[in-house]
Amino acid sequence: MTVVCDDDSDELALNRQLCFALYAASRAMTKAYQPMLKDLNITYPQYLVLMVLWEWAQKGDEAEKNKSLGALGQRLMLDSGTLTPLLKRMEQRGLVRRRRASWDERVTLVEATDSAMALKPRARTWVQQQLQLSSITRAEVVELHGDLWHFLQKLGSETAR
Amino acid sequence: MTVVCDDDSDELALNRQLCFALYAASRAMTKAYQPMLKDLNITYPQYLVLMVLWEWAQKGDEAEKNKSLGALGQRLMLDSGTLTPLLKRMEQRGLVRRRRASWDERVTLVEATDSAMALKPRARTWVQQQLQLSSITRAEVVELHGDLWHFLQKLGSETAR
DNA sequence: GCGATTTATATTGTGCACAACTATATTTTG
DNA sequence: CAAAATATAGTTGTGCACAATATAAATCGC
């Protein structure tokens, strides 16, 4: 039996594509978070927003200038087309407050409510437990995280050209 | 000045979260593919589908049983809720054919059209060029890919419990 | 062979992502 | 200072993802 197989068959094989590995791993990770997200009654992107707002809440008021929708977008690499409706949904759920900056009417300031702050310890506990229960070591996580970040930097500096 | 900073501030810091690194890297990768995707006039998930169909086209007809929507979903880890409308759009664009299997009326068989096969060399050339132009080495790609796949296996075996 | 169960796909509804565009406020510049 | 340029969000439209559900075909147990 003759197997027809041109020389580029390997080059574009799905299982060798970094792009697919990233795509699949990202979605698998999102799925792994679902039990916690369901418990907190939020979505995955909303959880990412909360992580930023939780950080901001610790910084006090001196850095209000940097607590805008735009700043949030820079941290998460998302634009207003994604964040505006997402934040409106979170506002409806009582998780965030939105208001215009007095010093610049273009700017929308965003902050976590007490209700949102209350979710933080629950998230922290769950994340810690999952890592302990997992067969994945902390060292593996740190290494993969570092490699991803390094990759992200290079990719960013190249696509910015 | 006293900086309020509880002891879990680092644990949930966005920039230390593997989940966010995966999320950001995956989206950045998708963005990096946009010039090619725009040229081929397809979306990123459609490109992933094509990579599978390109592989299938090389296998001849003996494996028709494994060229179903379900098999496609297993490869891409996507369900019918995502694939059915996506494939209908690709069918409209003349990129795929869909038909019921004669041996099981439930099964939808999927295959690339000639028009879709014609896109493969263009994609291959672009991917090769990008890697050459990039400051990212082939070794880095292979290592990150391996680590991601390894991680995906562990995550999959755990969430399957 | 026939009802119950399982399997494969399709449908429905919600929430992202993101490109393209709009609206408005601020800053810069001649 | 008025006009142009820039900055910041919001809006609109398309296409995923995915949970939940529906539909229909095949298989199983008897």
mmCIF file of all heavy atoms in Angstrom, chain B residues 105-146:
data_model
loop_
_atom_site.group_PDB
_atom_site.id
_atom_site.type_symbol
_atom_site.label_atom_id
_atom_site.label_comp_id
_atom_site.label_asym_id
_atom_site.label_seq_id
_atom_site.Cartn_x
_atom_site.Cartn_y
_atom_site.Cartn_z
ATOM 1 N N GLU B 105 -27.038 7.662 9.721
ATOM 2 C CA GLU B 105 -27.645 8.949 9.368
ATOM 3 C C GLU B 105 -27.426 10.040 10.417
ATOM 4 O O GLU B 105 -27.698 11.202 10.180
ATOM 5 C CB GLU B 105 -29.151 8.766 9.128
ATOM 6 C CG GLU B 105 -29.510 8.140 7.793
ATOM 7 C CD GLU B 105 -29.140 9.026 6.616
ATOM 8 O OE1 GLU B 105 -29.243 10.251 6.736
ATOM 9 O OE2 GLU B 105 -28.734 8.480 5.559
ATOM 10 N N ARG B 106 -26.959 9.654 11.593
ATOM 11 C CA ARG B 106 -26.696 10.684 12.604
ATOM 12 C C ARG B 106 -25.414 11.437 12.299
ATOM 13 O O ARG B 106 -25.241 12.590 12.661
ATOM 14 C CB ARG B 106 -26.553 10.035 13.992
ATOM 15 C CG ARG B 106 -27.812 9.430 14.520
ATOM 16 C CD ARG B 106 -27.533 8.639 15.766
ATOM 17 N NE ARG B 106 -26.530 7.597 15.527
ATOM 18 C CZ ARG B 106 -26.098 6.764 16.449
ATOM 19 N NH1 ARG B 106 -26.525 6.850 17.700
ATOM 20 N NH2 ARG B 106 -25.208 5.837 16.162
ATOM 21 N N VAL B 107 -24.474 10.770 11.634
ATOM 22 C CA VAL B 107 -23.117 11.290 11.451
ATOM 23 C C VAL B 107 -23.027 12.288 10.304
ATOM 24 O O VAL B 107 -23.514 12.012 9.203
ATOM 25 C CB VAL B 107 -22.127 10.133 11.209
ATOM 26 C CG1 VAL B 107 -20.753 10.674 10.853
ATOM 27 C CG2 VAL B 107 -22.070 9.238 12.443
ATOM 28 N N THR B 108 -22.407 13.430 10.575
ATOM 29 C CA THR B 108 -22.118 14.415 9.530
ATOM 30 C C THR B 108 -20.654 14.291 9.134
ATOM 31 O O THR B 108 -19.760 14.488 9.961
ATOM 32 C CB THR B 108 -22.386 15.843 10.039
ATOM 33 O OG1 THR B 108 -23.773 15.989 10.315
ATOM 34 C CG2 THR B 108 -21.982 16.868 9.001
ATOM 35 N N LEU B 109 -20.416 13.931 7.879
ATOM 36 C CA LEU B 109 -19.050 13.853 7.373
ATOM 37 C C LEU B 109 -18.632 15.214 6.831
ATOM 38 O O LEU B 109 -19.436 15.913 6.222
ATOM 39 C CB LEU B 109 -18.946 12.796 6.272
ATOM 40 C CG LEU B 109 -19.266 11.369 6.730
ATOM 41 C CD1 LEU B 109 -19.274 10.413 5.550
ATOM 42 C CD2 LEU B 109 -18.263 10.922 7.791
ATOM 43 N N VAL B 110 -17.378 15.565 7.060
ATOM 44 C CA VAL B 110 -16.866 16.875 6.661
ATOM 45 C C VAL B 110 -15.611 16.691 5.836
ATOM 46 O O VAL B 110 -14.758 15.865 6.176
ATOM 47 C CB VAL B 110 -16.527 17.733 7.898
ATOM 48 C CG1 VAL B 110 -16.166 19.149 7.483
ATOM 49 C CG2 VAL B 110 -17.674 17.729 8.893
ATOM 50 N N GLU B 111 -15.487 17.438 4.750
ATOM 51 C CA GLU B 111 -14.247 17.382 3.976
ATOM 52 C C GLU B 111 -13.948 18.722 3.327
ATOM 53 O O GLU B 111 -14.848 19.531 3.081
ATOM 54 C CB GLU B 111 -14.296 16.274 2.926
ATOM 55 C CG GLU B 111 -15.394 16.452 1.909
ATOM 56 C CD GLU B 111 -15.461 15.286 0.917
ATOM 57 O OE1 GLU B 111 -14.491 14.511 0.828
ATOM 58 O OE2 GLU B 111 -16.485 15.171 0.222
ATOM 59 N N ALA B 112 -12.668 18.945 3.067
ATOM 60 C CA ALA B 112 -12.231 20.191 2.435
ATOM 61 C C ALA B 112 -12.524 20.147 0.942
ATOM 62 O O ALA B 112 -12.413 19.100 0.310
ATOM 63 C CB ALA B 112 -10.738 20.391 2.671
ATOM 64 N N THR B 113 -12.906 21.273 0.378
ATOM 65 C CA THR B 113 -13.067 21.391 -1.077
ATOM 66 C C THR B 113 -11.710 21.687 -1.711
ATOM 67 O O THR B 113 -10.728 21.940 -1.004
ATOM 68 C CB THR B 113 -14.018 22.548 -1.415
ATOM 69 O OG1 THR B 113 -13.429 23.760 -0.930
ATOM 70 C CG2 THR B 113 -15.373 22.352 -0.773
ATOM 71 N N ASP B 114 -11.650 21.642 -3.031
ATOM 72 C CA ASP B 114 -10.421 21.996 -3.739
ATOM 73 C C ASP B 114 -10.000 23.417 -3.372
ATOM 74 O O ASP B 114 -8.818 23.710 -3.179
ATOM 75 C CB ASP B 114 -10.640 21.910 -5.253
ATOM 76 C CG ASP B 114 -10.805 20.466 -5.719
ATOM 77 O OD1 ASP B 114 -10.518 19.560 -4.911
ATOM 78 O OD2 ASP B 114 -11.223 20.253 -6.867
ATOM 79 N N SER B 115 -11.003 24.277 -3.276
ATOM 80 C CA SER B 115 -10.745 25.663 -2.914
ATOM 81 C C SER B 115 -10.044 25.768 -1.559
ATOM 82 O O SER B 115 -9.142 26.588 -1.373
ATOM 83 C CB SER B 115 -12.088 26.403 -2.896
ATOM 84 O OG SER B 115 -11.977 27.606 -2.211
ATOM 85 N N ALA B 116 -10.439 24.910 -0.624
ATOM 86 C CA ALA B 116 -9.807 24.907 0.691
ATOM 87 C C ALA B 116 -8.406 24.303 0.623
ATOM 88 O O ALA B 116 -7.479 24.767 1.295
ATOM 89 C CB ALA B 116 -10.655 24.133 1.688
ATOM 90 N N MET B 117 -8.244 23.276 -0.214
ATOM 91 C CA MET B 117 -6.918 22.652 -0.358
ATOM 92 C C MET B 117 -5.918 23.646 -0.933
ATOM 93 O O MET B 117 -4.733 23.612 -0.610
ATOM 94 C CB MET B 117 -7.011 21.413 -1.256
ATOM 95 C CG MET B 117 -7.798 20.249 -0.672
ATOM 96 S SD MET B 117 -7.275 19.745 0.992
ATOM 97 C CE MET B 117 -5.602 19.156 0.685
ATOM 98 N N ALA B 118 -6.430 24.545 -1.776
ATOM 99 C CA ALA B 118 -5.549 25.521 -2.423
ATOM 100 C C ALA B 118 -4.957 26.514 -1.429
ATOM 101 O O ALA B 118 -3.947 27.151 -1.701
ATOM 102 C CB ALA B 118 -6.319 26.279 -3.507
ATOM 103 N N LEU B 119 -5.580 26.629 -0.263
ATOM 104 C CA LEU B 119 -5.083 27.584 0.737
ATOM 105 C C LEU B 119 -3.878 27.040 1.491
ATOM 106 O O LEU B 119 -3.110 27.797 2.085
ATOM 107 C CB LEU B 119 -6.202 27.928 1.734
ATOM 108 C CG LEU B 119 -7.478 28.540 1.150
ATOM 109 C CD1 LEU B 119 -8.459 28.859 2.271
ATOM 110 C CD2 LEU B 119 -7.163 29.785 0.342
ATOM 111 N N LYS B 120 -3.725 25.712 1.470
ATOM 112 C CA LYS B 120 -2.687 25.108 2.308
ATOM 113 C C LYS B 120 -1.272 25.614 2.021
ATOM 114 O O LYS B 120 -0.574 26.019 2.945
ATOM 115 C CB LYS B 120 -2.737 23.577 2.170
ATOM 116 C CG LYS B 120 -1.767 22.889 3.129
ATOM 117 C CD LYS B 120 -1.864 21.369 3.063
ATOM 118 C CE LYS B 120 -0.884 20.754 4.048
ATOM 119 N NZ LYS B 120 -0.885 19.280 4.003
ATOM 120 N N PRO B 121 -0.815 25.612 0.747
ATOM 121 C CA PRO B 121 0.555 26.081 0.507
ATOM 122 C C PRO B 121 0.756 27.540 0.907
ATOM 123 O O PRO B 121 1.836 27.908 1.392
ATOM 124 C CB PRO B 121 0.750 25.876 -0.998
ATOM 125 C CG PRO B 121 -0.613 25.654 -1.558
ATOM 126 C CD PRO B 121 -1.444 25.085 -0.473
ATOM 127 N N ARG B 122 -0.291 28.341 0.750
ATOM 128 C CA ARG B 122 -0.162 29.761 1.139
ATOM 129 C C ARG B 122 0.037 29.862 2.642
ATOM 130 O O ARG B 122 0.837 30.666 3.129
ATOM 131 C CB ARG B 122 -1.406 30.535 0.701
ATOM 132 C CG ARG B 122 -1.510 30.655 -0.811
ATOM 133 C CD ARG B 122 -2.884 31.102 -1.267
ATOM 134 N NE ARG B 122 -3.228 32.449 -0.828
ATOM 135 C CZ ARG B 122 -4.423 33.005 -0.999
ATOM 136 N NH1 ARG B 122 -5.384 32.318 -1.604
ATOM 137 N NH2 ARG B 122 -4.661 34.226 -0.581
ATOM 138 N N ALA B 123 -0.723 29.064 3.397
ATOM 139 C CA ALA B 123 -0.585 29.078 4.852
ATOM 140 C C ALA B 123 0.802 28.596 5.261
ATOM 141 O O ALA B 123 1.465 29.205 6.098
ATOM 142 C CB ALA B 123 -1.654 28.201 5.488
ATOM 143 N N ARG B 124 1.242 27.496 4.633
ATOM 144 C CA ARG B 124 2.531 26.922 4.986
ATOM 145 C C ARG B 124 3.659 27.931 4.762
ATOM 146 O O ARG B 124 4.513 28.131 5.613
ATOM 147 C CB ARG B 124 2.781 25.662 4.141
ATOM 148 C CG ARG B 124 4.098 24.996 4.447
ATOM 149 C CD ARG B 124 4.179 23.623 3.803
ATOM 150 N NE ARG B 124 4.097 23.713 2.351
ATOM 151 C CZ ARG B 124 5.142 23.540 1.537
ATOM 152 N NH1 ARG B 124 6.338 23.280 2.039
ATOM 153 N NH2 ARG B 124 4.993 23.626 0.248
ATOM 154 N N THR B 125 3.646 28.577 3.618
ATOM 155 C CA THR B 125 4.683 29.555 3.306
ATOM 156 C C THR B 125 4.700 30.674 4.335
ATOM 157 O O THR B 125 5.753 31.057 4.844
ATOM 158 C CB THR B 125 4.440 30.153 1.904
ATOM 159 O OG1 THR B 125 4.416 29.100 0.956
ATOM 160 C CG2 THR B 125 5.530 31.146 1.552
ATOM 161 N N TRP B 126 3.516 31.171 4.652
ATOM 162 C CA TRP B 126 3.445 32.284 5.606
ATOM 163 C C TRP B 126 3.988 31.871 6.971
ATOM 164 O O TRP B 126 4.785 32.596 7.575
ATOM 165 C CB TRP B 126 2.001 32.779 5.741
ATOM 166 C CG TRP B 126 1.874 33.973 6.629
ATOM 167 C CD1 TRP B 126 1.995 35.283 6.258
ATOM 168 C CD2 TRP B 126 1.638 33.979 8.038
ATOM 169 N NE1 TRP B 126 1.844 36.090 7.350
ATOM 170 C CE2 TRP B 126 1.625 35.322 8.456
ATOM 171 C CE3 TRP B 126 1.445 32.975 8.991
ATOM 172 C CZ2 TRP B 126 1.420 35.695 9.782
ATOM 173 C CZ3 TRP B 126 1.242 33.338 10.307
ATOM 174 C CH2 TRP B 126 1.234 34.686 10.698
ATOM 175 N N VAL B 127 3.576 30.689 7.447
ATOM 176 C CA VAL B 127 4.012 30.231 8.767
ATOM 177 C C VAL B 127 5.530 30.085 8.796
ATOM 178 O O VAL B 127 6.194 30.518 9.749
ATOM 179 C CB VAL B 127 3.330 28.893 9.132
ATOM 180 C CG1 VAL B 127 3.982 28.280 10.363
ATOM 181 C CG2 VAL B 127 1.844 29.104 9.383
ATOM 182 N N GLN B 128 6.084 29.494 7.740
ATOM 183 C CA GLN B 128 7.539 29.324 7.684
ATOM 184 C C GLN B 128 8.254 30.668 7.707
ATOM 185 O O GLN B 128 9.218 30.864 8.447
ATOM 186 C CB GLN B 128 7.926 28.551 6.420
ATOM 187 C CG GLN B 128 7.601 27.063 6.511
ATOM 188 C CD GLN B 128 7.832 26.342 5.193
ATOM 189 O OE1 GLN B 128 7.883 26.978 4.137
ATOM 190 N NE2 GLN B 128 7.958 25.021 5.253
ATOM 191 N N GLN B 129 7.754 31.610 6.909
ATOM 192 C CA GLN B 129 8.383 32.928 6.847
ATOM 193 C C GLN B 129 8.338 33.635 8.194
ATOM 194 O O GLN B 129 9.309 34.241 8.626
ATOM 195 C CB GLN B 129 7.690 33.795 5.788
ATOM 196 C CG GLN B 129 8.165 33.482 4.382
ATOM 197 C CD GLN B 129 7.517 34.397 3.358
ATOM 198 O OE1 GLN B 129 6.639 35.191 3.697
ATOM 199 N NE2 GLN B 129 7.935 34.282 2.112
ATOM 200 N N GLN B 130 7.185 33.548 8.837
ATOM 201 C CA GLN B 130 7.042 34.231 10.118
ATOM 202 C C GLN B 130 8.055 33.732 11.135
ATOM 203 O O GLN B 130 8.647 34.508 11.873
ATOM 204 C CB GLN B 130 5.618 34.030 10.666
ATOM 205 C CG GLN B 130 4.573 34.835 9.967
ATOM 206 C CD GLN B 130 4.934 36.309 9.855
ATOM 207 O OE1 GLN B 130 5.140 36.816 8.753
ATOM 208 N NE2 GLN B 130 5.031 36.993 10.972
ATOM 209 N N LEU B 131 8.225 32.404 11.164
ATOM 210 C CA LEU B 131 9.166 31.831 12.131
ATOM 211 C C LEU B 131 10.584 32.309 11.843
ATOM 212 O O LEU B 131 11.359 32.610 12.755
ATOM 213 C CB LEU B 131 9.089 30.296 12.094
ATOM 214 C CG LEU B 131 9.890 29.574 13.196
ATOM 215 C CD1 LEU B 131 9.513 30.105 14.567
ATOM 216 C CD2 LEU B 131 9.669 28.074 13.125
ATOM 217 N N GLN B 132 10.899 32.421 10.544
ATOM 218 C CA GLN B 132 12.241 32.899 10.182
ATOM 219 C C GLN B 132 12.446 34.357 10.555
ATOM 220 O O GLN B 132 13.481 34.744 11.070
ATOM 221 C CB GLN B 132 12.486 32.704 8.677
ATOM 222 C CG GLN B 132 12.816 31.262 8.318
ATOM 223 C CD GLN B 132 13.040 31.079 6.828
ATOM 224 O OE1 GLN B 132 12.843 32.011 6.056
ATOM 225 N NE2 GLN B 132 13.431 29.876 6.438
ATOM 226 N N LEU B 133 11.416 35.167 10.305
ATOM 227 C CA LEU B 133 11.522 36.597 10.597
ATOM 228 C C LEU B 133 11.545 36.859 12.095
ATOM 229 O O LEU B 133 12.064 37.864 12.550
ATOM 230 C CB LEU B 133 10.331 37.348 9.974
ATOM 231 C CG LEU B 133 10.315 37.437 8.449
ATOM 232 C CD1 LEU B 133 9.011 38.081 7.988
ATOM 233 C CD2 LEU B 133 11.518 38.237 7.957
ATOM 234 N N SER B 134 10.981 35.935 12.846
ATOM 235 C CA SER B 134 10.813 36.151 14.272
ATOM 236 C C SER B 134 12.122 36.005 15.039
ATOM 237 O O SER B 134 13.050 35.328 14.606
ATOM 238 C CB SER B 134 9.799 35.147 14.807
ATOM 239 O OG SER B 134 9.815 35.128 16.203
ATOM 240 N N SER B 135 12.175 36.662 16.193
ATOM 241 C CA SER B 135 13.325 36.492 17.077
ATOM 242 C C SER B 135 13.153 35.248 17.945
ATOM 243 O O SER B 135 14.020 34.905 18.725
ATOM 244 C CB SER B 135 13.474 37.731 17.962
ATOM 245 O OG SER B 135 12.374 37.837 18.846
ATOM 246 N N ILE B 136 12.014 34.604 17.787
ATOM 247 C CA ILE B 136 11.761 33.378 18.543
ATOM 248 C C ILE B 136 12.378 32.202 17.793
ATOM 249 O O ILE B 136 12.146 32.030 16.600
ATOM 250 C CB ILE B 136 10.242 33.169 18.710
ATOM 251 C CG1 ILE B 136 9.645 34.355 19.484
ATOM 252 C CG2 ILE B 136 9.952 31.862 19.440
ATOM 253 C CD1 ILE B 136 8.156 34.536 19.284
ATOM 254 N N THR B 137 13.182 31.425 18.503
ATOM 255 C CA THR B 137 13.878 30.323 17.841
ATOM 256 C C THR B 137 12.969 29.101 17.739
ATOM 257 O O THR B 137 12.009 28.956 18.495
ATOM 258 C CB THR B 137 15.135 29.918 18.629
ATOM 259 O OG1 THR B 137 14.728 29.353 19.871
ATOM 260 C CG2 THR B 137 16.020 31.119 18.885
ATOM 261 N N ARG B 138 13.326 28.253 16.803
ATOM 262 C CA ARG B 138 12.558 27.020 16.624
ATOM 263 C C ARG B 138 12.633 26.180 17.906
ATOM 264 O O ARG B 138 11.649 25.529 18.284
ATOM 265 C CB ARG B 138 13.121 26.246 15.440
ATOM 266 C CG ARG B 138 12.192 25.208 14.849
ATOM 267 C CD ARG B 138 12.764 24.642 13.551
ATOM 268 N NE ARG B 138 12.632 25.544 12.419
ATOM 269 C CZ ARG B 138 11.643 25.459 11.513
ATOM 270 N NH1 ARG B 138 10.730 24.527 11.622
ATOM 271 N NH2 ARG B 138 11.586 26.296 10.501
ATOM 272 N N ALA B 139 13.771 26.216 18.562
ATOM 273 C CA ALA B 139 13.929 25.432 19.794
ATOM 274 C C ALA B 139 12.988 25.932 20.886
ATOM 275 O O ALA B 139 12.375 25.139 21.614
ATOM 276 C CB ALA B 139 15.378 25.509 20.283
ATOM 277 N N GLU B 140 12.847 27.254 20.972
ATOM 278 C CA GLU B 140 11.929 27.819 21.971
ATOM 279 C C GLU B 140 10.507 27.367 21.710
ATOM 280 O O GLU B 140 9.774 27.003 22.624
ATOM 281 C CB GLU B 140 11.998 29.357 21.936
ATOM 282 C CG GLU B 140 13.194 29.947 22.635
ATOM 283 C CD GLU B 140 13.253 31.462 22.480
ATOM 284 O OE1 GLU B 140 12.901 31.988 21.395
ATOM 285 O OE2 GLU B 140 13.666 32.122 23.445
ATOM 286 N N VAL B 141 10.124 27.412 20.430
ATOM 287 C CA VAL B 141 8.774 27.006 20.052
ATOM 288 C C VAL B 141 8.538 25.548 20.432
ATOM 289 O O VAL B 141 7.528 25.202 21.052
ATOM 290 C CB VAL B 141 8.544 27.201 18.538
ATOM 291 C CG1 VAL B 141 7.244 26.530 18.108
ATOM 292 C CG2 VAL B 141 8.530 28.677 18.193
ATOM 293 N N VAL B 142 9.501 24.704 20.088
ATOM 294 C CA VAL B 142 9.355 23.273 20.366
ATOM 295 C C VAL B 142 9.258 23.020 21.864
ATOM 296 O O VAL B 142 8.423 22.230 22.316
ATOM 297 C CB VAL B 142 10.542 22.486 19.759
ATOM 298 C CG1 VAL B 142 10.546 21.048 20.265
ATOM 299 C CG2 VAL B 142 10.483 22.526 18.238
ATOM 300 N N GLU B 143 10.066 23.723 22.635
ATOM 301 C CA GLU B 143 10.048 23.505 24.083
ATOM 302 C C GLU B 143 8.726 23.968 24.693
ATOM 303 O O GLU B 143 8.104 23.248 25.468
ATOM 304 C CB GLU B 143 11.214 24.252 24.747
ATOM 305 C CG GLU B 143 11.444 23.796 26.181
ATOM 306 C CD GLU B 143 12.177 24.843 27.003
ATOM 307 O OE1 GLU B 143 13.065 25.525 26.443
ATOM 308 O OE2 GLU B 143 11.836 24.988 28.190
ATOM 309 N N LEU B 144 8.312 25.173 24.322
ATOM 310 C CA LEU B 144 7.047 25.695 24.866
ATOM 311 C C LEU B 144 5.886 24.801 24.450
ATOM 312 O O LEU B 144 4.998 24.497 25.257
ATOM 313 C CB LEU B 144 6.831 27.133 24.366
ATOM 314 C CG LEU B 144 5.583 27.845 24.889
ATOM 315 C CD1 LEU B 144 5.525 27.817 26.407
ATOM 316 C CD2 LEU B 144 5.545 29.293 24.390
ATOM 317 N N HIS B 145 5.929 24.364 23.213
ATOM 318 C CA HIS B 145 4.879 23.480 22.721
ATOM 319 C C HIS B 145 4.829 22.195 23.545
ATOM 320 O O HIS B 145 3.758 21.746 23.958
ATOM 321 C CB HIS B 145 5.121 23.153 21.255
ATOM 322 C CG HIS B 145 4.065 22.286 20.648
ATOM 323 N ND1 HIS B 145 4.120 20.910 20.705
ATOM 324 C CD2 HIS B 145 2.927 22.585 20.007
ATOM 325 C CE1 HIS B 145 3.044 20.406 20.112
ATOM 326 N NE2 HIS B 145 2.306 21.406 19.675
ATOM 327 N N GLY B 146 5.992 21.624 23.803
ATOM 328 C CA GLY B 146 6.053 20.392 24.595
ATOM 329 C C GLY B 146 5.531 20.589 26.005
ATOM 330 O O GLY B 146 4.746 19.781 26.507
#
